[in-house]
Amino acid sequence: MSARPVVISIPPAIQVERILYATDFSRASERALPIVSAIARHYGSQVHIAHIWSSKPYPIPDLGTPITFKEETQARGKMADLLIQPELQNLRTVVELEQGDPVDRIANYVQTHAISLVVLGTHGRTRVVHALMGSVAEELF
C-alpha cells in the first residue's frame, strides 16, 4: 500500500508594502528611523510618516480642543526637517499630520491605509511617570 503524498502550501515571501512610521519627533522616534529606512529599502515599501499631537499633556477626555496654529506650525516645521533626513532619501513617502488621540488616530490610519507594519519609538518610561502618562506604543499594541 503506497502512501499519498502530502501537499504543503508554502506561503509567499513576506511582503511589507506600507510602513507607518509614527513619530513625536523625540529622541526615541529618531532612533527608530534607521530601522524604518532599512526595512523600507529591503522590501521596496512606501513609508507613511505620521505625527499626531494632542493639545493635552495628560490623557483626559477630549473636550473638543481645536487645532492651535502654533502646534500645527511646529509640527509642519519638524516634519519638513524630518523629510530631508538621509534615511528617507529616495523612499516613497506619505505624510500625515493630525491633532487628536494618537492611539485612536494611528489605529484608524492602519486600517484605512492597509498598513503592513507599524514602527514607533518608545520613551521607556517606568513606574510613576508611565502610570501618569502611559505609552502610546503599549496602548496601541
Side-chain angles (χ1 to χ4, degrees):
M1 184 167 173
S2 65
R4 293 183 76 188
V6 177
V7 177
I8 300 173
S9 175
I10 299 174
I14 294 173
Q15 294 181 343
V16 182
E17 295 177 14
R18 286 172 290 286
I19 300 171
L20 174 60
Y21 169 54
T23 180
D24 61 0
F25 306 116
S26 67
R27 282 240 187 249
S29 289
E30 288 175 11
R31 287 191 297 268
L33 185 56
I35 296 165
V36 170
S37 176
I39 295 169
R41 289 182 199 289
H42 180 79
Y43 290 102
S45 309
Q46 182 181 53
V47 178
H48 293 243
I49 306 167
H51 173 70
I52 292 92
W53 72 92
S54 174
S55 295
K56 306 173 291 274
Y58 300 102
I60 59 173
D62 188 5
L63 303 175
T65 308
I67 297 174
T68 65
F69 181 74
K70 180 180 176 184
E71 288 169 327
E72 184 176 3
T73 301
Q74 288 175 343
R76 289 189 185 285
K78 289 178 181 179
M79 186 62 76
D81 291 343
L82 178 63
L83 289 171
I84 61 172
Q85 294 300 309
E87 291 88 353
L88 294 174
Q89 297 306 303
N90 301 316
L91 290 177
R92 296 175 296 134
T93 58
V94 175
V95 172
E96 180 70 20
L97 292 169
E98 287 188 46
Q99 180 198 26
D101 177 64
V103 174
D104 291 341
R105 298 291 170 108
I106 291 170
N108 184 48
Y109 194 90
V110 166
Q111 291 287 343
T112 304
H113 294 87
I115 298 297
S116 308
L117 175 69
V118 178
V119 177
L120 62 148
T122 180
H123 294 285
R125 295 183 178 117
T126 58
R127 300 182 189 173
V128 175
V129 175
H130 178 72
L132 289 173
M133 299 191 69
S135 166
V136 170
E138 184 178 275
E139 193 172 336
L140 182 64
F141 295 105

